């Protein structure tokens, strides 16, 4: 799983027992959220795959986003 947001902390908040105090963690702001714009498919293979995802997910456009060298994710914008 890939986090949707990254928040830099100088020090993790801890409970008196030395465990992570999740309730004391700050909420991520808009700067911490990872956003990416639409990137159109490039080449015949990507265009074909994008069309397959559009048909399966019933969306108006889709784009593959590389998450790491070994995996990718597909974003879908719903039909209006």
């Amino acid at each position: 799983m890939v986090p949707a947001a990254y928040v830099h902390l100088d020090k993790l908040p801890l409970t008196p027992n030395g465990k992570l105090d999740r309730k004391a963690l700050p909420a991520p702001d808009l700067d911490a959220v990872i956003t990416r714009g639409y990137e159109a498919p490039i080449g015949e293979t990507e265009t074909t795959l994008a069309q397959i995802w559009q048909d399966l997910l019933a969306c108006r456009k889709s784009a593959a986003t590389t998450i790491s060298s070994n995996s990718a994710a597909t974003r879908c914008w719903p039909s209006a």
Side-chain angles (χ1 to χ4, degrees):
M1 293 182 10
V2 177
Y6 289 95
V7 177
H8 175 75
L9 300 173
D10 293 326
K11 186 177 174 184
L12 292 175
L14 302 177
T15 64
N17 293 339
K19 296 179 181 178
L20 177 65
D21 187 355
R22 293 182 182 189
K23 294 178 183 177
L25 289 171
D29 58 6
L30 292 178
D31 292 334
V33 178
I34 299 171
T35 58
R36 295 182 186 187
Y38 174 73
E39 294 181 29
I42 300 170
E44 183 180 344
T45 303
E46 285 187 13
T47 303
T48 302
L49 287 171
Q51 186 61 50
I52 291 170
W53 281 113
Q54 288 173 19
D55 295 343
L56 287 172
L57 300 174
C59 59
R60 59 187 159 87
K61 63 181 177 179
S62 64
T65 304
T66 301
I67 295 188
S68 69
S69 60
N70 297 327
S71 65
T74 299
R75 293 187 67 186
C76 181
W77 288 264
S79 298

Coordinates of all heavy atoms in Angstrom, one line a residue:
M1 N 0.8 -1.2 0.0 CA 0.0 0.0 0.0 C 0.9 1.2 0.0 O 1.9 1.3 0.6 CB -0.9 0.0 1.2 CG -1.9 -1.1 1.2 SD -3.1 -1.3 2.5 CE -3.0 0.1 3.5
V2 N 0.4 2.2 -0.7 CA 1.1 3.5 -0.8 C 0.4 4.6 -0.1 O -0.8 4.7 -0.3 CB 1.3 3.9 -2.3 CG1 2.0 5.2 -2.4 CG2 2.1 2.8 -3.0
P3 N 1.0 5.3 0.9 CA 0.3 6.3 1.6 C -0.2 7.4 0.7 O 0.4 7.8 -0.3 CB 1.3 6.9 2.6 CG 2.5 5.9 2.5 CD 2.4 5.1 1.3
A4 N -1.3 8.0 1.0 CA -1.9 9.1 0.3 C -1.3 10.4 0.7 O -1.3 11.4 -0.1 CB -3.4 9.2 0.4
A5 N -0.7 10.5 1.9 CA -0.1 11.7 2.4 C 1.2 11.4 3.2 O 1.2 10.4 3.8 CB -1.1 12.5 3.2
Y6 N 2.1 12.3 3.1 CA 3.3 12.2 4.0 C 3.4 13.5 4.8 O 3.3 14.6 4.3 CB 4.6 12.2 3.1 CG 4.7 10.9 2.3 CD1 4.2 10.7 1.0 CD2 5.3 9.8 2.9 CE1 4.4 9.6 0.3 CE2 5.4 8.6 2.2 CZ 5.0 8.5 0.9 OH 5.1 7.3 0.3
V7 N 3.5 13.3 6.1 CA 3.7 14.4 7.1 C 5.0 14.2 7.8 O 5.3 13.2 8.4 CB 2.5 14.4 8.1 CG1 2.7 15.5 9.1 CG2 1.2 14.5 7.4
H8 N 5.9 15.2 7.7 CA 7.2 15.2 8.3 C 7.0 15.5 9.8 O 6.4 16.5 10.1 CB 8.2 16.1 7.6 CG 9.5 16.2 8.4 ND1 10.4 15.2 8.3 CD2 10.0 17.1 9.2 CE1 11.5 15.5 9.0 NE2 11.2 16.6 9.6
L9 N 7.5 14.7 10.7 CA 7.5 14.9 12.1 C 8.9 14.9 12.6 O 9.7 14.0 12.3 CB 6.7 13.9 12.8 CG 5.2 13.8 12.5 CD1 4.5 12.6 13.2 CD2 4.5 15.1 12.8
D10 N 9.3 15.8 13.4 CA 10.6 15.8 14.1 C 10.7 14.6 15.1 O 11.8 14.0 15.3 CB 11.0 17.1 14.7 CG 11.1 18.2 13.7 OD1 11.6 17.9 12.6 OD2 10.8 19.4 14.0
K11 N 9.6 14.4 15.7 CA 9.6 13.3 16.8 C 8.1 12.8 16.8 O 7.2 13.5 16.7 CB 9.9 14.0 18.1 CG 10.0 13.0 19.2 CD 10.5 13.8 20.5 CE 10.5 12.9 21.7 NZ 10.8 13.6 22.9
L12 N 8.0 11.4 16.9 CA 6.7 10.8 17.0 C 6.2 11.0 18.4 O 6.9 10.8 19.4 CB 6.9 9.3 16.7 CG 7.2 8.9 15.3 CD1 7.4 7.4 15.1 CD2 6.1 9.4 14.3
P13 N 4.9 11.3 18.5 CA 4.3 11.4 19.8 C 4.1 10.0 20.4 O 3.6 9.1 19.8 CB 2.9 12.1 19.5 CG 2.6 11.7 18.1 CD 3.9 11.6 17.4
L14 N 4.5 9.9 21.7 CA 4.4 8.6 22.4 C 3.5 8.7 23.6 O 3.4 9.8 24.2 CB 5.8 8.2 22.8 CG 6.9 8.1 21.7 CD1 8.2 7.7 22.3 CD2 6.5 7.0 20.7
T15 N 2.9 7.6 23.9 CA 2.1 7.5 25.2 C 3.1 7.3 26.3 O 4.3 7.0 26.1 CB 1.2 6.2 25.1 OG1 2.0 5.1 25.0 CG2 0.3 6.3 23.9
P16 N 2.6 7.3 27.6 CA 3.5 7.1 28.7 C 4.1 5.7 28.7 O 5.2 5.5 29.3 CB 2.6 7.2 29.9 CG 1.5 8.1 29.4 CD 1.3 7.8 28.0
N17 N 3.5 4.8 28.0 CA 4.1 3.4 27.8 C 5.1 3.3 26.8 O 5.7 2.2 26.5 CB 3.0 2.4 27.5 CG 2.0 2.2 28.7 OD1 2.4 2.5 29.8 ND2 0.8 1.7 28.4
G18 N 5.4 4.4 26.0 CA 6.4 4.4 25.0 C 5.9 3.9 23.6 O 6.6 3.8 22.7
K19 N 4.5 3.8 23.5 CA 3.9 3.4 22.2 C 3.5 4.6 21.5 O 3.4 5.7 22.0 CB 2.7 2.5 22.5 CG 3.1 1.2 23.1 CD 1.8 0.3 23.3 CE 2.1 -1.0 24.0 NZ 0.9 -1.8 24.3
L20 N 3.3 4.5 20.1 CA 2.9 5.6 19.3 C 1.5 6.1 19.7 O 0.6 5.3 19.9 CB 2.9 5.2 17.8 CG 2.4 6.2 16.9 CD1 3.3 7.4 16.8 CD2 2.2 5.6 15.5
D21 N 1.4 7.4 20.0 CA 0.1 7.9 20.4 C -0.6 8.4 19.1 O -0.4 9.5 18.6 CB 0.3 9.1 21.3 CG -1.0 9.7 21.9 OD1 -2.1 9.2 21.5 OD2 -0.9 10.5 22.8
R22 N -1.4 7.6 18.5 CA -2.1 7.9 17.2 C -3.0 9.1 17.3 O -3.2 9.8 16.4 CB -2.8 6.7 16.7 CG -1.8 5.5 16.3 CD -2.6 4.4 15.8 NE -1.6 3.3 15.5 CZ -1.9 2.2 14.9 NH1 -3.1 2.0 14.4 NH2 -1.0 1.3 14.7
K23 N -3.6 9.3 18.5 CA -4.5 10.4 18.6 C -3.8 11.7 18.6 O -4.4 12.8 18.3 CB -5.3 10.2 19.9 CG -6.3 9.1 19.9 CD -7.0 8.9 21.2 CE -7.9 7.7 21.2 NZ -8.5 7.5 22.5
A24 N -2.5 11.7 18.9 CA -1.8 13.0 19.0 C -1.1 13.3 17.6 O -0.5 14.3 17.5 CB -0.7 12.9 20.1
L25 N -1.2 12.4 16.7 CA -0.6 12.7 15.3 C -1.4 13.8 14.7 O -2.6 13.9 14.7 CB -0.7 11.4 14.5 CG 0.2 10.3 14.8 CD1 -0.1 9.1 14.0 CD2 1.7 10.7 14.6
P26 N -0.7 14.7 14.0 CA -1.4 15.8 13.3 C -2.1 15.4 12.1 O -1.6 14.4 11.4 CB -0.2 16.8 13.0 CG 1.0 15.9 12.9 CD 0.8 14.8 13.9
A27 N -3.2 16.0 11.8 CA -3.9 15.7 10.5 C -3.1 16.3 9.3 O -2.5 17.4 9.4 CB -5.3 16.3 10.5
P28 N -3.0 15.6 8.2 CA -2.2 16.1 7.1 C -3.0 17.3 6.5 O -4.2 17.3 6.4 CB -2.2 14.9 6.1 CG -3.2 13.9 6.6 CD -3.5 14.2 8.0
D29 N -2.2 18.3 6.0 CA -2.8 19.4 5.3 C -2.7 19.1 3.8 O -2.2 18.1 3.4 CB -2.1 20.7 5.7 CG -0.6 20.7 5.5 OD1 -0.1 19.7 4.9 OD2 0.0 21.7 5.9
L30 N -3.1 20.1 3.0 CA -3.1 19.9 1.6 C -1.7 19.7 1.0 O -1.5 19.1 -0.1 CB -3.8 21.0 0.9 CG -5.3 21.1 1.1 CD1 -6.0 22.3 0.4 CD2 -6.0 19.8 0.7
D31 N -0.7 20.3 1.6 CA 0.7 20.1 1.1 C 1.2 18.7 1.3 O 2.1 18.3 0.6 CB 1.6 21.1 1.9 CG 1.3 22.6 1.5 OD1 0.8 22.8 0.4 OD2 1.6 23.4 2.4
A32 N 0.6 18.0 2.2 CA 1.1 16.6 2.5 C 0.5 15.6 1.6 O 1.0 14.5 1.4 CB 0.8 16.2 3.9
V33 N -0.6 15.9 0.9 CA -1.4 15.0 0.1 C -0.7 14.9 -1.3 O -0.3 15.9 -1.9 CB -2.8 15.4 -0.1 CG1 -3.6 14.5 -1.0 CG2 -3.5 15.5 1.3
I34 N -0.5 13.7 -1.7 CA 0.2 13.5 -3.0 C -0.9 13.6 -4.1 O -1.9 12.9 -4.1 CB 0.8 12.1 -3.1 CG1 1.8 11.9 -2.0 CG2 1.3 11.8 -4.5 CD1 2.4 10.5 -1.9
T35 N -0.7 14.5 -5.0 CA -1.6 14.7 -6.1 C -0.9 14.6 -7.4 O 0.3 15.0 -7.5 CB -2.3 16.1 -6.0 OG1 -1.3 17.1 -6.1 CG2 -3.2 16.2 -4.8
R36 N -1.6 14.1 -8.4 CA -1.0 14.0 -9.7 C -2.0 14.4 -10.8 O -3.2 14.0 -10.6 CB -0.5 12.6 -10.0 CG 0.6 12.2 -9.1 CD 1.1 10.8 -9.4 NE 2.1 10.4 -8.4 CZ 2.8 9.4 -8.5 NH1 2.7 8.5 -9.5 NH2 3.7 9.1 -7.6
G37 N -1.6 15.1 -11.8 CA -2.6 15.4 -12.8 C -2.8 14.3 -13.8 O -2.1 13.2 -13.7
Y38 N -3.7 14.5 -14.7 CA -3.9 13.5 -15.7 C -2.7 13.4 -16.7 O -2.3 14.4 -17.2 CB -5.2 13.8 -16.5 CG -5.5 12.9 -17.7 CD1 -5.9 11.6 -17.5 CD2 -5.3 13.4 -19.0 CE1 -6.1 10.8 -18.6 CE2 -5.5 12.5 -20.1 CZ -5.9 11.3 -19.8 OH -6.2 10.4 -20.9
E39 N -2.3 12.2 -17.0 CA -1.3 12.0 -18.0 C -1.9 11.0 -19.0 O -2.2 9.9 -18.7 CB 0.0 11.3 -17.4 CG 0.7 12.2 -16.4 CD 1.9 11.6 -15.8 OE1 2.5 10.7 -16.5 OE2 2.3 11.9 -14.7
A40 N -2.0 11.5 -20.2 CA -2.6 10.7 -21.3 C -1.7 9.5 -21.6 O -0.5 9.6 -21.5 CB -2.8 11.6 -22.5
P41 N -2.3 8.4 -22.0 CA -1.6 7.2 -22.4 C -0.7 7.5 -23.6 O -1.0 8.3 -24.5 CB -2.6 6.2 -22.8 CG -3.9 6.9 -22.8 CD -3.8 8.2 -22.2
I42 N 0.5 6.9 -23.6 CA 1.5 7.1 -24.7 C 1.7 5.8 -25.4 O 2.0 4.8 -24.7 CB 2.8 7.6 -24.1 CG1 2.7 8.9 -23.3 CG2 3.9 7.7 -25.2 CD1 3.9 9.3 -22.5
G43 N 1.5 5.8 -26.7 CA 1.8 4.6 -27.5 C 0.5 3.7 -27.6 O -0.5 3.9 -26.9
E44 N 0.6 2.8 -28.4 CA -0.5 1.9 -28.7 C -0.9 1.0 -27.6 O -2.1 0.8 -27.2 CB -0.2 1.0 -30.0 CG -1.3 0.1 -30.4 CD -0.9 -0.7 -31.6 OE1 0.1 -0.4 -32.3 OE2 -1.7 -1.7 -31.8
T45 N 0.1 0.4 -26.9 CA -0.2 -0.5 -25.7 C -0.9 0.3 -24.6 O -1.9 -0.2 -24.1 CB 1.1 -1.1 -25.2 OG1 1.8 -1.8 -26.3 CG2 0.9 -2.1 -24.1
E46 N -0.4 1.4 -24.2 CA -1.0 2.2 -23.1 C -2.4 2.6 -23.5 O -3.3 2.6 -22.7 CB -0.1 3.4 -22.7 CG 1.1 3.0 -21.9 CD 1.8 4.3 -21.4 OE1 1.3 5.4 -21.5 OE2 3.0 4.1 -21.0
T47 N -2.6 3.1 -24.8 CA -3.9 3.5 -25.2 C -4.9 2.3 -25.2 O -6.0 2.5 -24.7 CB -3.8 4.1 -26.7 OG1 -2.8 5.1 -26.7 CG2 -5.1 4.6 -27.1
T48 N -4.5 1.2 -25.6 CA -5.3 0.0 -25.5 C -5.7 -0.4 -24.1 O -6.9 -0.6 -23.8 CB -4.7 -1.2 -26.2 OG1 -4.3 -0.9 -27.6 CG2 -5.5 -2.4 -26.2
L49 N -4.7 -0.4 -23.2 CA -5.0 -0.7 -21.8 C -5.9 0.4 -21.2 O -6.8 0.0 -20.4 CB -3.7 -0.8 -21.0 CG -2.8 -2.0 -21.3 CD1 -1.5 -1.8 -20.6 CD2 -3.5 -3.2 -20.8
A50 N -5.7 1.6 -21.5 CA -6.5 2.7 -21.0 C -8.0 2.5 -21.4 O -8.9 2.7 -20.6 CB -6.0 4.1 -21.4
Q51 N -8.1 2.1 -22.7 CA -9.5 1.9 -23.2 C -10.2 0.7 -22.5 O -11.4 0.8 -22.2 CB -9.4 1.7 -24.7 CG -10.8 1.6 -25.4 CD -11.6 2.8 -25.2 OE1 -11.1 3.9 -25.4 NE2 -12.8 2.7 -24.7
I52 N -9.4 -0.3 -22.2 CA -10.0 -1.5 -21.5 C -10.4 -1.1 -20.1 O -11.5 -1.4 -19.7 CB -8.9 -2.6 -21.5 CG1 -8.7 -3.2 -22.8 CG2 -9.4 -3.7 -20.5 CD1 -7.5 -4.2 -22.9
W53 N -9.6 -0.3 -19.4 CA -10.0 0.1 -18.1 C -11.2 1.1 -18.1 O -12.1 1.0 -17.3 CB -8.8 0.8 -17.4 CG -7.8 -0.1 -16.8 CD1 -6.6 -0.3 -17.2 CD2 -8.1 -1.0 -15.7 NE1 -6.0 -1.3 -16.4 CE2 -6.9 -1.7 -15.5 CE3 -9.2 -1.3 -14.9 CZ2 -6.8 -2.7 -14.5 CZ3 -9.0 -2.3 -13.9 CH2 -7.9 -3.0 -13.7
Q54 N -11.2 1.9 -19.1 CA -12.4 2.8 -19.3 C -13.7 2.0 -19.5 O -14.7 2.3 -18.9 CB -12.2 3.8 -20.4 CG -11.2 4.9 -20.2 CD -10.9 5.7 -21.4 OE1 -11.6 5.7 -22.3 NE2 -9.7 6.3 -21.4
D55 N -13.6 1.0 -20.3 CA -14.8 0.2 -20.5 C -15.2 -0.6 -19.3 O -16.4 -0.7 -19.0 CB -14.5 -0.8 -21.7 CG -14.3 -0.1 -23.0 OD1 -14.7 1.1 -23.1 OD2 -13.8 -0.7 -24.0
L56 N -14.2 -1.2 -18.6 CA -14.5 -2.0 -17.4 C -15.0 -1.1 -16.3 O -16.0 -1.6 -15.5 CB -13.3 -2.7 -16.9 CG -12.8 -3.9 -17.8 CD1 -11.5 -4.4 -17.3 CD2 -13.9 -5.0 -17.7
L57 N -14.5 0.0 -16.1 CA -14.8 0.9 -14.9 C -15.9 1.9 -15.3 O -16.3 2.7 -14.4 CB -13.6 1.6 -14.4 CG -12.5 0.6 -13.9 CD1 -11.3 1.4 -13.5 CD2 -13.0 -0.2 -12.7
A58 N -16.3 2.0 -16.5 CA -17.3 2.9 -17.0 C -16.9 4.4 -16.6 O -17.6 5.1 -15.9 CB -18.7 2.6 -16.4
C59 N -15.7 4.8 -17.1 CA -15.3 6.1 -16.8 C -14.9 6.8 -18.1 O -14.7 6.1 -19.1 CB -14.1 6.1 -15.8 SG -12.7 5.2 -16.4
R60 N -14.8 8.1 -18.0 CA -14.5 8.9 -19.3 C -13.1 8.9 -19.7 O -12.7 9.0 -20.8 CB -15.1 10.3 -19.2 CG -14.6 11.1 -18.1 CD -15.3 12.4 -18.0 NE -15.2 13.0 -16.7 CZ -14.2 13.8 -16.4 NH1 -13.3 14.1 -17.2 NH2 -14.2 14.3 -15.1
K61 N -12.2 8.8 -18.7 CA -10.7 8.7 -19.0 C -10.0 8.0 -17.9 O -10.4 8.1 -16.8 CB -10.1 10.1 -19.3 CG -10.1 11.0 -18.2 CD -9.4 12.3 -18.6 CE -9.5 13.3 -17.4 NZ -8.9 14.6 -17.8
S62 N -9.0 7.3 -18.2 CA -8.2 6.6 -17.2 C -6.7 6.9 -17.5 O -6.3 7.1 -18.6 CB -8.5 5.2 -17.1 OG -8.1 4.5 -18.4
A63 N -5.9 6.7 -16.5 CA -4.4 6.9 -16.7 C -3.7 6.0 -15.7 O -4.1 5.8 -14.6 CB -4.0 8.4 -16.4
A64 N -2.7 5.4 -16.2 CA -1.8 4.5 -15.4 C -0.8 5.4 -14.7 O -0.2 6.3 -15.4 CB -1.2 3.4 -16.2
T65 N -0.5 5.2 -13.5 CA 0.4 6.0 -12.7 C 1.5 5.0 -12.2 O 1.1 4.1 -11.5 CB -0.2 6.8 -11.6 OG1 -1.2 7.6 -12.1 CG2 0.8 7.6 -10.8
T66 N 2.7 5.2 -12.4 CA 3.8 4.3 -11.9 C 4.0 4.7 -10.4 O 4.2 5.8 -10.1 CB 5.1 4.5 -12.6 OG1 4.8 4.2 -14.0 CG2 6.2 3.6 -12.1
I67 N 3.9 3.7 -9.6 CA 4.1 3.9 -8.1 C 5.5 3.5 -7.8 O 6.1 4.1 -7.0 CB 3.0 3.1 -7.3 CG1 1.7 3.7 -7.6 CG2 3.4 3.1 -5.9 CD1 0.5 3.1 -6.8
S68 N 6.0 2.4 -8.3 CA 7.4 2.0 -8.1 C 7.8 1.3 -9.3 O 7.0 1.2 -10.3 CB 7.5 1.1 -6.9 OG 6.9 -0.2 -7.2
S69 N 9.0 0.8 -9.3 CA 9.5 0.2 -10.6 C 8.8 -1.2 -10.8 O 8.8 -1.7 -11.9 CB 11.0 -0.1 -10.4 OG 11.2 -0.9 -9.3
N70 N 8.1 -1.7 -9.8 CA 7.4 -3.0 -10.0 C 5.9 -2.9 -10.0 O 5.3 -4.0 -10.1 CB 7.9 -3.9 -8.8 CG 9.3 -4.2 -8.9 OD1 9.9 -4.3 -9.9 ND2 9.9 -4.4 -7.7
S71 N 5.3 -1.8 -9.8 CA 3.8 -1.7 -9.7 C 3.3 -0.4 -10.3 O 4.0 0.5 -10.5 CB 3.4 -1.9 -8.3 OG 3.8 -0.8 -7.5
A72 N 2.0 -0.4 -10.6 CA 1.4 0.7 -11.2 C -0.1 0.8 -10.7 O -0.6 -0.2 -10.2 CB 1.4 0.7 -12.7
A73 N -0.7 1.9 -10.7 CA -2.1 2.1 -10.3 C -2.8 2.7 -11.5 O -2.2 3.4 -12.3 CB -2.1 3.0 -9.1
T74 N -4.1 2.6 -11.5 CA -4.9 3.2 -12.5 C -5.9 4.1 -11.8 O -6.6 3.8 -10.9 CB -5.7 2.1 -13.3 OG1 -4.8 1.2 -13.9 CG2 -6.6 2.8 -14.4
R75 N -5.9 5.4 -12.3 CA -6.9 6.4 -11.9 C -8.0 6.4 -12.9 O -7.8 6.4 -14.1 CB -6.3 7.7 -11.7 CG -5.2 7.7 -10.6 CD -4.7 9.1 -10.3 NE -5.8 9.9 -9.8 CZ -5.7 11.2 -9.6 NH1 -4.7 11.8 -9.9 NH2 -6.7 11.8 -9.1
C76 N -9.2 6.6 -12.4 CA -10.4 6.7 -13.3 C -11.2 7.9 -12.9 O -11.5 8.1 -11.7 CB -11.2 5.4 -13.1 SG -12.7 5.4 -14.2
W77 N -11.6 8.7 -13.9 CA -12.5 9.9 -13.6 C -13.9 9.4 -14.1 O -14.1 9.1 -15.3 CB -12.0 11.0 -14.5 CG -10.7 11.6 -13.9 CD1 -10.7 12.7 -13.0 CD2 -9.4 11.2 -14.1 NE1 -9.3 12.9 -12.7 CE2 -8.5 12.1 -13.4 CE3 -8.8 10.2 -14.8 CZ2 -7.2 11.9 -13.3 CZ3 -7.4 10.0 -14.8 CH2 -6.6 10.9 -14.1
P78 N -14.9 9.4 -13.2 CA -16.2 8.9 -13.5 C -16.9 9.7 -14.6 O -16.6 10.9 -14.8 CB -17.0 9.1 -12.2 CG -16.0 9.3 -11.1 CD -14.7 9.8 -11.8
S79 N -17.7 9.0 -15.3 CA -18.5 9.6 -16.4 C -19.4 10.6 -15.8 O -20.0 10.4 -14.7 CB -19.2 8.6 -17.2 OG -18.3 7.7 -17.8
A80 N -19.7 11.7 -16.5 CA -20.6 12.8 -16.0 C -22.0 12.4 -16.2 O -22.4 11.5 -16.8 CB -20.3 14.1 -16.8

